[in-house]
Amino acid sequence: MVEIKKTIKKYDNFEDTYKQGYIGLPKGFDGIKEPIFLTIKEFKKKFKSLKNKKKYPVLFYMHGSVGLAYGKKYKDAVLKENFIFFAPNSYKLKDRPTYKTPTKIQNYEQVHKVRVAEVFYNIKRLKEFDFLDLKNIFLMGSSEGALAAAQYKGKDFKGRIVAAYACENGYYSRDFKIGARKKDPFLNIIGTHDQYFGKYSPYEENNNNGHCAMALLEFKNAKVVLLPKTKHNVIENKYTIPEVVNFLKFHTSK
């Protein structure tokens, strides 16, 4: 907690990860006839006097190093299921640390600290909206965002979805540990041919398994989906979206 707060204080405009973060609203929200996708800042201008009284489950999405391009496909899928979609905007952070694989582990770790801090900061800010069902907020991350989603230690989330990351130490992380509670629903989706975190990744030297199964052995509500002949970008596999949607629907409490 102290480390996270130190990370946030290092950046003058950390709040922009929230203000310029994105929110997706399903059809019917406050009377809208089609789904809407806009920034939090734009949302507050457009919906100044909300009449909505319904509470919606939420997918809180941490994008990867390439941004929100893949996340928009998850957004489209969950909006159809009457979920709210929210994604912090890491790219709005001034002087944000970056890396290019391969690099030294400390360069990766600096990014991981920022991404975990984004989860901590943004979930607290997001709770300002009374249309969110706080008992049904799910945390998802892809690639770089997946490590943050898996590692975050808070109890704010009903479940976690970790896509394109293997929950193992190696070239990318030194002291990785899953931060979810053992009872929390947890879904890991990764390809057998993931070029960064798969078993045969050229960057790994630790005989890793290439998935989260070993890290999840004590998690009774965990599921690992290993997609054959699939590379790092799991969104390209036709089974990924259905797995995400079915996980969310199954674990959302009424």
Side-chain angles (χ1 to χ4, degrees):
M1 187 77 71
V2 174
E3 187 70 29
I4 287 176
K5 289 181 178 178
K6 281 184 180 178
T7 299
I8 292 170
K9 285 182 178 179
K10 279 177 64 177
Y11 300 92
D12 293 335
N13 74 320
F14 208 93
E15 66 177 355
D16 285 341
T17 65
Y18 176 67
K19 288 182 177 179
Q20 298 297 332
Y22 295 97
I23 188 165
L25 309 168
K27 178 182 177 181
F29 176 88
D30 207 47
I32 61 175
K33 295 181 179 179
E34 294 295 333
I36 293 179
F37 186 57
L38 64 178
T39 67
I40 290 289
K41 188 176 181 180
E42 291 168 339
F43 168 79
K44 288 184 175 182
K45 287 182 180 178
K46 188 174 181 68
F47 294 89
K48 286 183 178 178
S49 54
L50 276 173
K51 297 177 182 177
N52 175 79
K53 292 183 179 180
K54 180 179 177 181
K55 290 188 180 292
Y56 290 82
V58 183
L59 181 63
F60 182 118
Y61 181 80
M62 295 293 290
H63 67 70
S65 60
V66 296
L68 199 58
Y70 307 140
K72 289 179 181 178
K73 294 184 179 181
Y74 295 115
K75 178 261 295 180
D76 291 341
V78 301
L79 291 186
K80 290 178 182 177
E81 302 297 333
N82 263 346
F83 272 69
I84 296 285
F85 177 90
F86 172 73
N89 191 343
S90 189
Y91 278 112
K92 290 299 178 181
L93 195 61
K94 293 177 182 176
D95 301 318
R96 176 182 180 271
T98 59
Y99 57 79
K100 186 175 182 181
T101 297
T103 187
K104 295 178 180 178
I105 196 163
Q106 52 262 42
N107 294 334
Y108 294 119
E109 296 287 0
Q110 287 302 313
V111 173
H112 301 334
K113 286 180 182 178
V114 169
R115 301 312 306 279
V116 170
E118 280 176 34
V119 179
F120 175 85
Y121 181 87
N122 278 270
I123 187 57
K124 291 192 172 353
R125 291 294 302 271
L126 193 63
K127 289 179 181 178
E128 69 176 293
F129 298 125
D130 60 8
F131 55 81
L132 304 182
D133 181 353
L134 299 183
K135 294 181 180 178
N136 287 299
I137 302 180
F138 294 83
L139 177 59
M140 179 179 182
S142 178
S143 190
E144 176 187 294
L147 182 144
Q151 191 174 57
Y152 177 69
K153 291 181 180 178
K155 299 177 181 179
D156 311 274
F157 300 99
K158 176 70 175 287
R160 317 258 182 132
I161 302 172
V162 169
Y165 179 61
C167 306
E168 298 177 299
N169 280 319
Y171 81 97
Y172 194 67
S173 61
R174 184 183 290 114
D175 300 308
F176 173 81
K177 290 180 183 176
I178 290 177
R181 295 165 294 187
K182 297 289 197 306
K183 66 178 182 179
D184 290 347
F186 199 109
L187 174 64
N188 173 223
I189 305 175
I190 190 168
T192 56
H193 290 62
D194 189 305
Q195 57 269 46
Y196 297 103
F197 305 112
K199 185 175 179 62
Y200 307 107
S201 166
Y203 307 112
E204 291 290 9
E205 298 176 355
N206 295 349
N207 296 316
N208 284 356
N209 294 293
H211 51 72
C212 292
M214 295 306 293
L216 292 168
L217 282 178
E218 296 181 10
F219 287 71
K220 65 180 181 179
N221 292 310
K223 179 180 181 180
V224 175
V225 178
L226 193 58
L227 299 169
K229 296 184 178 180
T230 302
K231 293 184 178 180
H232 187 58
N233 185 14
V234 294
I235 195 73
E236 293 178 353
N237 188 297
K238 66 181 181 180
Y239 296 109
T240 298
I241 290 288
E243 285 287 353
V244 169
V245 170
N246 289 336
F247 175 86
L248 293 172
K249 290 169 69 175
F250 184 81
H251 290 290
T252 298
S253 55
K254 303 301 182 186

